[in-house]
Amino acid sequence: MNLSVQLAPKHRSVLHLANPVMTASGTSGYGTEHSHLFDIQRLGAFVCKGTTLEPREGNPQPRLAETPSGLLNSIGLQNIGVEALIKEKAPVWATWQVPVIVNIAAERVQDYARLAHRLDGVAGVSALEVNISCPNIRAGGAEFGANPDAAAEVTRAVRKATSLPILVKLTPSTSDIVRVAQAVAEAGADAISLINTLRGMVIDITRRRPLLGNITGGLSGPAIKPVALYLVYQVAGAVAVPVVGCGGIATADDALEFIMAGASAVQVGTASFKNPQAPLEVLEGIEQFMAREGIEDIAELIGAARH
Ligand SMILES: Cc1cc2nc3c(=O)[nH]c(=O)nc-3n(C[C@H](O)[C@H](O)[C@H](O)COP(=O)(O)O)c2cc1C
């Protein structure tokens, strides 16, 4: 069976994945913490925690709240910063066979470009995922992803600053995600990933205050899956670049729905908190489905629900 997919078919350093299953940014750290939990090397790609130019402490606690069928987080991009990532993490990734995609975030367009430039040519970094969709930072983030012009401006700046393949990660919090997707594809994105979390809140009725230190957070997990699936279906029908589906994927059946909607690959996020083996179980379940259904190439399933 052939499960391999190309995420940047037109880019000169093609982003070749052995299979379509990836981690979702921010839910498996830098991968180095998880090597004892499951064999990361079996994944199609590993996406690391969002990285900024400077280290960030993130938002005040509490930063996580469980909700029915979902998780609300307001981490606020806590991370070690790009220099520490290059010094401490990239050398480890350079020894891995699984490609590592570095998720980048910034509050200003020029900082996205600086990050992209800094990561260009770093051994161990195979591609960038440009997060223009974080709901948990004061400026930038989802503001860029909500507007087609701003989204295109960030994409163009990153495109100019790096020779790495780039995925641009979209927010569901926009009135027209198709226009945003088309704008970033036109501006040079090799692939589009979606979705990031949906903004929400929880109130602690005993304290009569918002539960999260940041007041609001981003909702992820099974609760957002139908929303994510529909947005992937819409975007995959509107752009020529590969689409990576994300949002509430916990099982192979979930992943197959996204693939049939038009996703070339999928990311597993919140499900890993409950079950660290979830990404591998998703992969194994896809393999079993293909064997059962007599499918020889994953390409036969991509967009199958669209015809
Ligand atoms: C705790 C946590 C941290 C996250 N951090 C990031 C991040 O740094 N960058 C990013 O692009 N997305 C981040 N996300 C969003 C996920 O990558 C993903 O888009 C979202 O959670 C939906 O997928 P899921 O339902 O499978 O978790 C984070 C999500 C969670 C739950």
Side-chain angles (χ1 to χ4, degrees):
M1 282 185 309
N2 178 22
L3 272 89
S4 69
V5 291
Q6 293 287 357
L7 283 192
K10 295 202 183 107
H11 196 277
R12 63 185 160 81
S13 57
V14 288
L15 185 55
H16 179 85
L17 272 53
N19 65 70
V21 183
M22 312 156 69
T23 51
S25 176
T27 58
S28 291
Y30 297 97
T32 44
E33 310 89 329
H34 289 69
S35 41
H36 64 289
L37 291 174
F38 70 95
D39 185 6
I40 286 174
Q41 308 307 323
R42 286 180 56 201
L43 294 177
F46 179 83
V47 186
C48 78
K49 173 68 192 161
T51 302
T52 49
L53 275 176
E54 302 298 332
R56 281 175 69 103
E57 299 267 314
N59 287 328
Q61 300 281 358
R63 308 197 291 193
L64 288 177
E66 268 192 64
T67 70
S69 302
L71 175 71
L72 209 55
N73 93 80
S74 62
I75 306 297
L77 293 178
Q78 177 183 4
N79 77 97
I80 59 176
V82 72
E83 293 307 325
L85 178 141
I86 290 170
K87 205 167 142 221
E88 295 160 24
K89 308 296 177 187
V92 180
W93 297 336
T95 67
W96 290 1
Q97 90 189 28
V98 62
V100 174
I101 300 174
V102 175
N103 180 284
I104 59 169
E107 297 186 353
R108 301 179 312 168
V109 176
Q110 61 264 44
D111 291 344
Y112 279 103
R114 283 173 64 199
L115 274 163
H117 182 65
R118 189 68 190 88
L119 288 161
D120 195 29
V122 172
V125 178
S126 293
L128 302 179
E129 181 177 62
V130 186
N131 177 5
I132 53 167
S133 42
C134 182
N136 296 326
I137 55 174
R138 223 176 342 105
E143 279 170 31
F144 289 117
N147 176 292
D149 294 335
E153 194 187 348
V154 174
T155 308
R156 258 192 308 275
V158 172
R159 174 76 294 156
K160 253 196 230 157
T162 182
S163 57
L164 287 166
I166 55 177
L167 290 73
V168 177
K169 183 165 176 182
L170 306 188
T171 173
S173 306
T174 171
S175 56
D176 192 349
I177 199 164
V178 164
R179 275 187 56 220
V180 176
Q182 287 169 332
V184 304
E186 214 166 281
D190 295 294
I192 291 172
S193 42
L194 71 156
I195 58 173
N196 209 315
T197 53
L198 285 139
R199 191 170 286 163
M201 74 183 295
V202 171
I203 290 181
D204 176 344
I205 57 168
T206 311
R207 287 175 46 244
R208 302 181 197 179
R209 291 280 175 276
L211 189 145
L212 294 173
N214 188 49
I215 301 175
T216 63
L219 183 66
S220 60
I224 71 169
K225 197 195 96 184
V227 176
L229 188 62
Y230 175 53
L231 295 175
V232 164
Y233 185 83
Q234 277 186 293
V235 168
V239 295
V241 298
V243 168
V244 178
C246 176
I249 298 174
T251 65
D253 288 6
D254 296 332
L256 285 161
E257 283 191 68
F258 279 80
I259 290 169
M260 290 179 191
S264 297
V266 292
Q267 297 180 343
V268 180
T270 301
S272 306
F273 293 141
K274 202 167 146 203
N275 172 17
Q277 304 281 343
L280 281 190
E281 287 176 14
V282 166
L283 172 59
E284 284 162 5
I286 294 173
E287 285 167 347
Q288 284 158 12
F289 178 87
M290 288 174 65
R292 207 167 56 232
E293 299 285 319
I295 309 275
E296 279 171 17
D297 195 317
I298 189 85
E300 293 171 49
L301 294 176
I302 297 171
R306 317 189 56 84
H307 312 310

